[in-house]
Amino acid sequence: LKRDAWIDERMDPEKSTAAAIAYLKELHRMFGDWTTVLAAYNCGEGAVLRRISNQKINYLDNFWDLYGLLPRETARYVPRFLATLHIMKDPAKYGFTLDEIDAPVPYETVNIQKQVNLKTVAETLGVSVEELTALNPELRIQVTPQTQYSLKVPVGKKEVFLAHLDEMPQWASPRNDLMISQSDYVYHRVQNRETLATIANKYHTTTQRIAKANNLNRKHFIRVGQK
């Protein structure tokens, strides 16, 4: 899932669900047992693999072989997950009354390369900013990115959007770089051959801002694996 100064795809329900499914399938190829997969999903595959490698025996049948060795949170998480599945399959049996599932919200998609503010788009389309934000939850500051982006708009508004796209003002940052609060920092793991300059370019910011956020001086060298 992509995360940068503009987008956090973890917040998109479709993309994050697809990613979760892909991860669960990967874990199942690794462990071959769905309850063990749930444990790894909760506490990480590394933690589960360490428990397996430390066993006195040379086999693993399922999660219950590891139950007593896992973190308490995970040991409780898996049974609770299984209990939830039972309740969902027959809620009345367990004294639950569940509401009907909300229908998917319909939308249309428009591919654009122009940076626009959602507030401007909402005013042009005659819809609320809240509605547009709900359709595009991955936009971190309610502005489309500098690269091509698939913006979701309410049904029936695609043609209106395209007709007025040229009239919409190009969004411009109030300063030369993005104004992001400390709670909105993106955390990056330094890769081989990366420098502060290449990382700054990737996140559309400056080396000075990254250095300041991490208390780095100019003589300090970043290292591979550093967060």
Side-chain angles (χ1 to χ4, degrees):
L1 294 172
K2 180 180 178 181
R3 288 182 292 152
D4 59 26
W6 308 100
I7 294 173
D8 185 351
E9 291 186 337
R10 298 174 303 174
M11 303 305 294
D12 184 290
E14 293 185 15
K15 293 177 181 178
S16 59
T17 299
I21 292 172
Y23 181 44
L24 289 169
K25 287 181 177 179
E26 180 182 344
L27 290 175
H28 192 263
R29 287 192 294 270
M30 187 182 300
F31 296 108
D33 170 68
W34 283 113
T35 49
T36 307
V37 166
L38 289 175
Y41 189 81
N42 180 255
C43 68
E45 65 266 28
V48 175
L49 287 171
R50 284 193 296 272
R51 266 68 174 190
I52 294 175
S53 64
N54 291 334
Q55 286 189 116
K56 301 294 184 182
I57 54 178
N58 60 359
Y59 67 88
L60 170 68
D61 286 336
N62 55 45
F63 161 80
W64 303 107
D65 293 331
L66 296 170
Y67 180 83
L69 303 176
L70 292 169
R72 185 169 182 269
E73 176 192 340
T74 302
R76 290 160 57 87
Y77 169 82
V78 175
R80 287 181 173 185
F81 191 101
L82 298 176
T84 301
L85 289 181
H86 284 288
I87 294 171
M88 294 296 292
K89 288 179 180 179
D90 191 359
K93 178 179 178 180
Y94 301 98
F96 288 89
T97 301
L98 304 181
D99 295 332
E100 291 295 323
I101 297 176
D102 293 337
V105 177
Y107 60 84
E108 296 177 326
T109 302
V110 185
N111 293 323
I112 60 171
Q113 287 187 295
K114 182 178 182 179
Q115 277 196 289
V116 291
N117 191 304
L118 289 191
K119 183 178 180 181
T120 302
V121 177
E123 292 173 352
T124 302
L125 300 182
V127 299
S128 67
V129 177
E130 290 74 19
E131 184 176 2
L132 273 183
T133 301
L135 287 175
N136 302 276
E138 67 181 8
L139 293 179
R140 299 185 64 195
I141 57 173
Q142 296 188 337
V143 174
T144 57
Q146 297 170 321
T147 55
Q148 181 170 302
Y149 181 72
S150 296
L151 183 70
K152 297 173 184 175
V153 297
V155 171
K157 298 295 184 178
K158 179 177 180 178
E159 296 303 322
V160 178
F161 179 89
L162 292 174
H164 293 86
L165 179 57
D166 291 339
E167 303 170 8
M168 294 184 197
Q170 175 91 17
W171 180 83
S173 172
R175 296 180 61 178
N176 291 330
D177 53 354
L178 285 178
M179 299 295 292
I180 301 178
S181 67
Q182 186 170 357
S183 61
D184 287 330
Y185 283 144
V186 172
Y187 290 91
H188 176 85
R189 186 76 65 179
V190 178
Q191 304 298 314
N192 190 32
R193 297 184 179 179
E194 281 189 326
T195 65
L196 280 185
T198 59
I199 296 172
N201 184 61
K202 178 177 181 180
Y203 294 103
H204 311 290
T205 184
T206 65
T207 55
Q208 290 81 4
R209 293 196 69 200
I210 295 178
K212 182 177 180 181
N214 293 277
N215 295 317
L216 303 177
N217 59 54
R218 293 183 179 181
K219 296 181 180 179
H220 187 95
F221 291 97
I222 59 175
R223 63 183 185 278
V224 174
Q226 183 178 356
K227 189 176 182 181

